[in-house]
Amino acid sequence: MKAYLLIYSRTKEVDYVPQFLARPAEMTNEEIQLALKYTANAMSGIDYVSGVRYSVFSVGNFCICGGVSCLCKNIIELLYRNDMISETEYHSAEEFLYDRVRRNVAFFIGFAIQKSDIRSVKIPNITLRDYWIQYLEQLKKQWSAKETHSELLNEPIEISEKTYSRREFAPEIDIVEEKRIIKNFKSNENDVLEHYFDRILNQGENASFISDVLDKNLWNGLVFTDVAVSDELYSSLNKFSTEKPGKGMDSVLNFNIAKSQRSPSVSNGYSILENTEIKRTKPIEEFDDSKKKWIYKIQRVS
């Protein structure tokens, strides 16, 4: 199966490369901007995701299969623990865990498949090692550069594929605030991902999925329609739907996460991807009496 890499990452010298570290050359500006919105969700609060976060989505002529976002240190620990990289590979990766001011290096990588290249009933057969090796190869090209650029990829790579039978699995879902919560994701990770690969590739659906949503701020700003949430957030969402506005609502919205952990430190502060740059922001929580619900506004800070 032919696919292009779609990578968003911090490097040693540069705090994230505008319009992706690497992307398909044929991706239009409209497709780039939509992909950045999905990536903003995928990267939000990634410091507090213990392993990796998965996502699946489509933008224009491209299906993004198996988007993985995580800290570099998390993925190499997972790979090493599961004997998917050698001890030598594990230690050589330590160079890429932190930038020059010792902030965690985090990244997003997806395999972008052009809809014209889709083959009926075929889906990618991607391992976690595949994500890491492809990401690391691209990262090394610009790791120490003082100025970075978006690497435009004109030739696709070949990735493994498999035949998919959609009779094999259907996720259990719950509808909350018009979003589809995928239940028991951790025990069915691969099945859920392949289910969404099939939906966007073979069934032509405009489906999107993201895992490991831990906080209400990310939930409120989701571009994704289908989501796997933490047990704590799931409980809080159900509680929030029956709570009346008033004092004490902060505990419902933030579900026992410490204040110091409510914002993503991966970008050294509150950050959102907007157009092609990261802007420093902070969320402001307000209760909209006319709508009888809590809302979040993003305020620019210096």
Side-chain angles (χ1 to χ4, degrees), residues 270-272 274 279-286 296-302:
Y270 290 100
S271 297
I272 57 171
E274 183 176 306
K279 298 183 178 180
R280 304 271 294 165
T281 63
K282 65 178 181 179
I284 303 299
E285 175 188 334
E286 294 181 355
Y296 292 83
K297 296 181 178 179
I298 300 298
Q299 176 176 306
R300 182 74 180 270
V301 296
S302 58

Side-chain angles (χ1 to χ4, degrees), residues 7-17 21-22 70-73 76 91-107 132 134-151 266:
I7 298 175
Y8 192 81
S9 177
R10 164 179 284 156
T11 65
K12 181 180 179 180
E13 300 290 338
V14 179
D15 194 20
Y16 297 101
V17 180
L21 184 74
C70 62
L71 303 183
C72 285
K73 64 181 182 181
I76 66 166
H91 289 298
S92 66
E94 293 176 348
E95 175 186 354
F96 305 103
L97 301 188
Y98 304 100
D99 71 1
R100 63 180 177 82
V101 291
R102 298 296 295 175
R103 290 177 298 185
N104 285 317
V105 172
F107 67 93
W132 170 248
Q134 293 293 341
Y135 163 69
L136 189 59
E137 182 178 336
Q138 288 294 325
L139 179 67
K140 287 178 178 179
K141 293 180 180 180
Q142 301 192 63
W143 174 248
S144 298
K146 298 297 182 182
E147 295 183 3
T148 55
H149 64 276
S150 188
E151 185 82 13
V266 69

Side-chain angles (χ1 to χ4, degrees), residues 97-261:
L97 301 188
Y98 304 100
D99 71 1
R100 63 180 177 82
V101 291
R102 298 296 295 175
R103 290 177 298 185
N104 285 317
V105 172
F107 67 93
F108 166 90
I109 177 172
F111 290 94
I113 301 168
Q114 282 190 307
K115 292 180 179 179
S116 59
D117 289 332
I118 294 171
R119 299 171 57 205
S120 180
V121 306
K122 298 295 184 181
I123 62 170
N125 186 24
I126 315 167
T127 69
L128 198 58
R129 176 183 169 84
D130 294 329
Y131 292 111
W132 170 248
I133 295 301
Q134 293 293 341
Y135 163 69
L136 189 59
E137 182 178 336
Q138 288 294 325
L139 179 67
K140 287 178 178 179
K141 293 180 180 180
Q142 301 192 63
W143 174 248
S144 298
K146 298 297 182 182
E147 295 183 3
T148 55
H149 64 276
S150 188
E151 185 82 13
L152 303 184
L153 306 175
N154 289 290
E155 296 296 330
I157 61 172
E158 288 286 341
I159 60 174
S160 293
E161 64 181 30
K162 63 184 291 186
T163 301
Y164 183 79
S165 172
R166 65 184 58 123
R167 292 175 298 177
E168 293 175 358
F169 175 80
E172 182 183 358
I173 67 169
D174 190 10
I175 307 296
V176 177
E177 297 181 6
E178 299 182 350
K179 296 184 181 73
R180 293 159 52 93
I181 291 181
I182 306 303
K183 303 175 74 173
N184 304 314
F185 172 70
K186 291 299 182 183
S187 58
N188 297 287
E189 282 187 2
N190 194 61
D191 288 333
V192 171
L193 292 173
E194 291 187 348
H195 169 82
Y196 281 94
F197 291 173
D198 176 65
R199 287 178 62 182
I200 66 173
L201 289 171
N202 298 315
Q203 300 184 55
E205 294 185 24
N206 189 29
S208 60
F209 167 77
I210 186 172
S211 75
D212 294 88
V213 172
L214 308 181
D215 66 87
K216 188 73 161 106
N217 287 335
L218 175 53
W219 169 269
N220 287 341
L222 279 177
V223 182
F224 293 86
T225 58
D226 296 23
V227 53
V229 302
S230 65
D231 292 340
E232 293 83 358
L233 180 56
Y234 184 70
S235 176
S236 297
L237 289 168
N238 286 329
K239 182 178 180 182
F240 181 66
S241 66
T242 60
E243 285 275 354
K244 293 182 178 180
K247 295 180 179 180
M249 196 55 94
D250 182 70
S251 63
V252 176
L253 292 171
N254 292 292
F255 55 91
N256 299 321
I257 285 184
K259 288 186 177 180
S260 62
Q261 295 180 328

